[in-house]
């Protein structure tokens, strides 16, 4: 039987298990990526596991999320990261050099490689045929130490693209169309593999917009086959020798097929406040727009900004609308500047920002109260922009530029008639200059020992699991709770990413301000949630902080992939309950596991009886591999990894 592209790459890297959907597999990792707000924990855990040198082919540490360095704590984090990259052997991308996914694409992404990254949009290089997955920081630390990455073999879904995009429709609209059809949990447990003539018709930057935002579907990753366009793109980057041809077999079998006719795609927009709340732009035409931002890891590339710049050439943005362009990388800024486009945009009224994540997580350019912001980003979760009750729409750079010019949402297809603006089309840069000044090679490292500022604290550890778990439900939440709800990433909170005792004070405060105090006072407790709990970011802090406050387990109808793994990694028991049980349990109820929890976990028990308020009983399911059960019993992955290293004398992160 023929193989899918996913199976081919995984087969080449498989160290444990079988490529059967739902089975746990262990895979060798070639490249790792970390960024500034998850990276400090990665290196602290690397150090705590007694590891001293990066073992993967390549490791890259980026500083991209909090590059304004509002507080010395941010700058200390960056200095620590530079010192860790130097000490342990990773490339270091300086603050301001750009967003990890964009800079990685420009410099290191390569077909056929596997990559693990401590950021949920790590799948971006899937557009070049790399099999890249986002995970919690400790998984990245272990992979960097040479250990395999364990995850559930996903179902491989074929997304067959036919035809070509019509005028004004873009790659962003393709992924918005998939979100409209499948929802933010439609991709959980799946890889989306793009095939067909439409896939070949798209350029690499367009492909990476799609693979990047496949994360919003909840997918494990997304991937495109490689072809002459991939080769040409790598050549323009000066890395043509890294090209490898990769195609699925003609008789590859997919778990499912989704067909998208690109010629029927129209400009789409995601309305507040969920990426899957997608409608045609024409449906919301006329909505006043206060702010427009072009940037992020989804649409911050040179090729994304150029069409907007062309639309703005010789024009001015509407007086009531502010427009910011925050390129995904300094390379994009430099190219746009050298070609005169930065000046052109400035003349039109645009504020040109440094290359950073920034506004995407509410760091800078926070919208005014009761205002509309149109962004080319990937997430519009309520409050993520830095103000609660925000109204953030997600769209293509073309739709964003059109709104900046008109001061309201407009279907760009009407621009030609109304303003004589034609579709700027898609264009690649002639030459992508390497930015060596901001990317420090491990051989030229500045530091050879760790530099820790006073805000950088140790990684908290959990005690091994007890036999009993009986506690109150501290908080009842609904469906699709994001990691931004659990541990926000705004400027106030982000400076404590390396300081869990302080960061824990922000835990779930977006839902209930009293949560941290109540959790500490309760000395133990449960969280209760609906479907898709923990969607969004890879931040392991969303497990670590509740754990630090004493939370012992989460009862939910379903879990998002990365967060589920993070719960195991930090020793929190994730139990699945059905809808009736979810509906019947209230906040404040006392939930007790009737069975011996530790014994049940160690013996492979899948169903546990829970007794609520000493009154009624229900079943809660533990869906866990043997390895995950061992981790839970020992209190998390750090203890588990250390024990294994001592136990079998293998490398600390060994298999
Ligand atoms: C995000 O987009 O939410 C982030 C900030 O990039 C996170 C990482 C983090 O929390 O540091 C992600 O996507 O994993
Ligand atoms: Fe940065 Fe936003 Fe991309 Fe996350 S989604 S990596 S915050 S640009």
């Amino acid at each position: 039987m023929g193989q899918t592209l996913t199976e081919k790459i995984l087969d080449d890297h498989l160290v444990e298990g079988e490529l059967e959907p739902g089975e746990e597999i262990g895979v060798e990792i070639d490249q790792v990526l970390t960024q500034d707000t998850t990276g400090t924990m990665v290196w602290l855990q690397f150090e705590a596991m007694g590891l001293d040198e990066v073992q993967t082919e390549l490791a890259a540490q980026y500083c991209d999320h909090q590059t304004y360095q509002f507080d010395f704590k941010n700058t200390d984090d960056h200095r620590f990261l530079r010192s860790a990259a130097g000490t342990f052997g990773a490339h270091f991308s300086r603050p301001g050099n750009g967003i990890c996914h964009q800079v990685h694409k420009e410099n290191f992404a390569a077909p056929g490689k596997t990559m693990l990254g401590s950021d949920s949009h790590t799948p971006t290089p899937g557009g070049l045929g790399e099999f890249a997955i986002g995970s919690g920081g400790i998984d990245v630390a272990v992979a960097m130490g040479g250990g395999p990455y364990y995850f559930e073999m996903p179902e491989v879904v074929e997304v067959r693209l036919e035809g070509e995009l019509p005028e004004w429709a873009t790659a962003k609209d393709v992924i918005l169309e998939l979100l409209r059809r499948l929802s933010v949990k439609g991709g959980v447990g799946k890889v989306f593999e793009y095939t067909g003539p439409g896939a070949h018709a798209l350029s690499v930057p367009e492909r990476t917009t799609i693979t990047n935002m496949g994360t919003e579907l909840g997918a494990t990753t997304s991937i495109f086959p490689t072809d002459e366009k991939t080769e040409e793109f790598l050549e323009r980057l000066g890395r043509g020798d890294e090209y490898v041809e990769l195609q699925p077999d003609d008789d590859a079998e997919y778990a499912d097929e989704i067909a998208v006719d690109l010629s029927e795609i129209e400009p789409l927009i995601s309305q507040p406040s969920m990426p899957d709340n997608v409608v045609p732009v024409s449906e919301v035409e006329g909505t006043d727009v206060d702010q427009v931002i072009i940037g992020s890891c989804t649409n911050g590339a040179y090729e994304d900004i150029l069409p907007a710049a062309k639309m703005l050439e010789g024009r001015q943005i509407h007086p009531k609308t502010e427009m910011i362009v925050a390129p995904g990388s300094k390379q994009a800024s430099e190219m746009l500047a050298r070609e005169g486009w930065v000046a052109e945009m400035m003349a039109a009224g645009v504020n040109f920002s440094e290359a950073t994540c920034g506004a995407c997580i509410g760091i800078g350019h926070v919208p005014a109260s009761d205002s509309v912001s149109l962004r080319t980003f990937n997430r519009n979760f309520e409050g993520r922009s830095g103000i609660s009750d925000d109204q953030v729409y997600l769209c293509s750079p073309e739709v964003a530029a059109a709104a900046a010019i008109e001061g309201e949402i407009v279907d760009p297809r009407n621009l030609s008639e109304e303003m004589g603006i034609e579709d700027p089309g898609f264009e690649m840069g002639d030459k992508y200059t390497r930015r060596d000044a901001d990317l420090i090679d491990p051989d030229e490292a500045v530091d050879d020992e760790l530099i820790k500022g006073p805000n950088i604290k140790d990684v908290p550890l959990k005690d091994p699991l007890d036999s009993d778990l009986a506690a109150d439900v501290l908080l009842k939440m609904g469906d699709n709770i994001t990691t931004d709800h659990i541990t926000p990433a705004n400027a106030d909170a982000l400076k404590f990413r390396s300081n869990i005792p302080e960061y824990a004070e922000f835990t779930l405060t977006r839902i209930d301000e009293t949560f941290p105090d109540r959790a500490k006072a309760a000395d133990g407790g449960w969280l209760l949630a609906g479907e898709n709990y923990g969607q969004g970011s890879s931040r392991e802090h969303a497990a670590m902080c509740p754990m630090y406050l004493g939370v012992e387990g989460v009862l939910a109808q379903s879990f998002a992939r990365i967060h589920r793994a993070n719960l195991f990694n930090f020793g929190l028991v994730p139990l699945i309950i059905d809808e009736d049980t979810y509906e019947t349990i209230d906040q404040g109820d006392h939930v007790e596991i009737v069975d011996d929890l530790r014994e049940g976990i160690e013996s492979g028990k899948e169903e546990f009886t829970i007794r609520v308020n000493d009154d009624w009983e229900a079943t809660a399911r533990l869906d866990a591999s043997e390895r995950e059960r061992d981790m839970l019993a020992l209190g998390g992955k750090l203890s588990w990894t250390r024990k294994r290293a001592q136990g079998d004398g293998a490398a600390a992160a060994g298999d």
Side-chain angles (χ1 to χ4, degrees):
M1 194 181 70
Q3 285 187 307
T4 62
L5 179 52
T6 299
E7 286 165 338
K8 286 186 181 183
I9 300 179
L10 291 180
D11 223 1
D12 272 357
H13 291 83
L14 196 67
V15 292
E16 221 174 296
E18 283 178 34
L19 301 180
E20 284 296 320
E23 293 291 306
E24 187 176 82
I25 53 171
V27 166
E28 190 190 342
I29 296 298
D30 300 324
Q31 302 190 340
V32 301
L33 164 159
T34 76
Q35 39 90 332
D36 49 354
T37 52
T38 54
T40 53
M41 281 294 150
V42 171
W43 294 111
L44 290 170
Q45 294 176 114
F46 192 81
E47 185 195 21
M49 285 186 282
L51 298 166
D52 55 11
E53 201 180 350
V54 167
Q55 300 295 324
T56 45
E57 279 175 26
L58 180 125
Q61 169 64 59
Y62 299 91
C63 293
D64 48 359
H65 283 65
Q66 181 35 311
T67 63
Y68 300 124
Q69 305 175 327
F70 290 146
D71 192 293
F72 78 90
K73 300 180 189 68
N74 308 127
T75 328
D76 276 3
D77 278 353
H78 291 157
R79 191 181 54 181
F80 168 70
L81 293 171
R82 191 191 68 193
S83 75
T87 308
F88 297 125
H91 293 262
F92 180 69
S93 175
R94 287 146 79 125
N97 190 35
I99 304 174
C100 52
H101 311 301
Q102 178 62 25
V103 182
H104 200 85
K105 174 169 85 181
E106 291 161 358
N107 292 280
F108 304 119
K113 301 283 182 197
T114 52
M115 171 156 85
L116 198 67
S118 62
D119 191 280
S120 65
H121 290 98
T122 299
T124 310
L128 286 102
E130 177 156 349
F131 195 88
I133 313 180
S135 75
I138 191 164
D139 290 323
V140 171
V142 169
M144 239 169 13
Y149 176 57
Y150 292 95
F151 65 111
E152 199 173 279
M153 176 64 194
E155 284 188 343
V156 187
V157 175
E158 176 178 22
V159 185
R160 198 172 163 77
L161 305 181
E162 303 286 347
E164 289 192 24
L165 287 169
E167 285 207 334
W168 294 108
T170 66
K172 181 64 161 280
D173 302 307
V174 177
I175 189 67
L176 290 179
E177 168 64 12
L178 287 170
L179 276 154
R180 189 182 68 76
R181 290 195 204 176
L182 304 175
S183 90
V184 287
K185 52 181 196 296
V188 177
K190 295 177 182 161
V191 171
F192 290 101
E193 202 169 299
Y194 291 82
T195 67
H200 292 291
L202 296 171
S203 67
V204 170
E206 290 174 294
R207 294 175 192 175
T208 55
T209 290
I210 295 173
T211 48
N212 170 284
M213 210 173 161
T215 296
E216 276 45 69
L217 292 164
T220 303
T221 192
S222 307
I223 192 162
F224 277 74
T226 62
D227 54 16
E228 66 296 340
K229 290 207 168 128
T230 325
E231 187 169 17
E232 198 214 320
F233 184 71
L234 285 168
E235 270 162 12
R236 281 180 201 239
L237 293 170
R239 300 197 284 121
D241 55 334
E242 292 173 34
Y243 176 69
V244 181
E245 197 192 326
L246 293 170
Q247 298 288 335
D249 289 328
D250 290 341
D251 56 347
E253 273 189 28
Y254 290 93
D256 204 356
E257 184 189 311
I258 299 170
V260 180
D261 184 352
L262 296 185
S263 63
E264 285 177 7
I265 296 285
E266 59 177 318
L268 296 171
I269 193 159
S270 158
Q271 305 181 96
S273 289
M274 209 39 88
D276 60 4
N277 191 10
V278 174
V279 293
V281 173
S282 52
E283 262 186 41
V284 285
E285 243 185 337
T287 309
D288 280 344
V289 174
D290 302 82
Q291 183 193 56
V292 166
I293 313 185
I294 296 186
S296 89
C297 57
T298 310
N299 279 128
Y302 166 85
E303 305 82 14
D304 295 309
I305 300 168
L306 186 60
K310 288 180 182 168
M311 287 168 70
L312 291 167
E313 192 175 6
R315 298 190 167 81
Q316 285 186 0
I317 58 170
H318 198 280
K320 73 176 175 211
T321 309
E322 285 181 23
M323 179 168 179
I324 299 108
V325 171
S329 68
K330 212 188 254 184
Q331 184 186 66
S333 306
E334 189 187 323
M335 286 167 68
L336 291 161
R338 287 187 191 280
E339 292 170 10
W341 290 111
V342 174
E344 203 62 61
M345 287 187 275
M346 285 179 168
V350 167
N351 289 334
F352 203 80
S353 152
E354 68 182 80
T356 183
C357 295
C360 184
I361 38 172
I363 297 177
H365 307 296
V366 176
S369 48
D370 199 17
S371 73
V372 167
S373 177
L374 239 67
R375 299 170 168 210
T376 65
F377 303 173
N378 47 41
R379 290 181 173 150
N380 57 351
F381 302 143
E382 195 268 311
R384 181 173 159 101
S385 68
I387 176 169
S388 49
D389 298 323
D390 50 6
Q391 297 171 64
V392 176
Y393 291 73
L394 307 173
C395 60
S396 68
E398 285 81 346
V399 171
I405 296 167
E406 296 267 14
E408 58 184 39
I409 299 180
V410 274
D411 185 331
R413 291 172 299 184
N414 298 332
L415 284 180
S416 159
E417 211 172 290
E418 282 172 21
M419 305 196 64
I421 303 180
E422 302 301 331
D423 179 1
F426 185 88
E427 199 187 317
M428 303 267 276
D430 283 339
K431 193 163 163 38
Y432 295 73
T433 40
R434 271 185 72 90
R435 299 217 67 274
D436 293 333
D438 280 302
L439 201 51
I440 302 173
D441 204 80
D443 298 339
E444 290 154 15
V446 187
D447 320 279
D448 56 9
E449 62 183 45
L450 298 179
I451 310 174
K452 290 184 191 168
N455 183 53
I456 298 180
K457 305 286 185 210
D458 290 342
V459 184
L461 286 178
K462 188 177 173 298
D463 291 333
L465 198 69
D466 281 336
S467 295
D468 312 317
L469 206 174
D472 291 352
V473 173
L474 295 169
L475 193 64
K476 181 168 182 174
M477 298 165 274
D479 291 340
N480 294 324
I481 293 296
T482 71
T483 44
D484 284 325
H485 289 106
I486 309 172
T487 39
N490 56 34
D492 291 343
L494 217 55
K495 58 179 180 258
F496 295 120
R497 278 293 179 91
S498 315
N499 182 343
I500 298 303
E502 290 289 344
Y503 196 36
E505 294 299 325
F506 293 82
T507 311
L508 288 162
T509 48
R510 293 259 318 277
I511 300 176
D512 177 351
E513 278 191 356
T514 66
F515 182 81
D517 287 342
R518 289 197 297 108
K520 280 185 281 184
D523 193 23
W526 291 99
L527 296 175
L528 174 64
E531 299 278 5
N532 202 23
Y533 178 68
Q535 69 154 330
S537 153
S538 66
R539 66 190 73 134
E540 56 195 351
H541 303 76
M544 250 187 227
C545 291
M547 180 272 271
Y548 182 80
L549 293 176
V551 171
E552 293 160 281
V554 184
L555 299 162
Q557 284 174 254
S558 64
F559 294 91
R561 180 186 67 86
I562 305 180
H563 187 61
R564 176 187 170 280
N566 285 337
L567 291 172
F568 283 106
N569 286 349
F570 291 93
L572 272 77
V573 186
L575 291 178
I576 299 169
I577 50 171
D578 64 20
E579 196 180 343
D580 279 353
T581 311
Y582 166 79
E583 293 294 349
T584 323
I585 302 179
D586 285 325
Q587 185 163 317
D589 283 357
H590 188 75
V591 178
E592 177 187 359
I593 298 195
V594 176
D595 321 74
D596 182 320
L597 179 65
R598 184 164 177 143
E599 198 271 323
I601 284 177
E602 285 177 333
S603 67
K605 193 173 165 64
E606 287 178 357
E607 292 194 343
F608 291 84
T609 304
I610 54 172
R611 184 177 298 137
V612 183
N613 292 337
D614 239 341
D615 180 23
W616 56 279
E617 289 186 351
T619 300
R621 213 157 41 78
L622 180 71
D623 183 7
S625 67
E626 209 181 307
R627 192 187 51 84
E628 288 168 333
R629 287 168 184 275
D630 287 350
M631 281 186 337
L632 267 190
L634 287 174
K637 188 158 184 162
L638 194 50
S639 311
W640 178 81
T641 310
R642 278 179 177 160
K643 175 144 186 275
R644 287 190 45 140
Q646 288 157 4
D648 56 25
D655 60 7

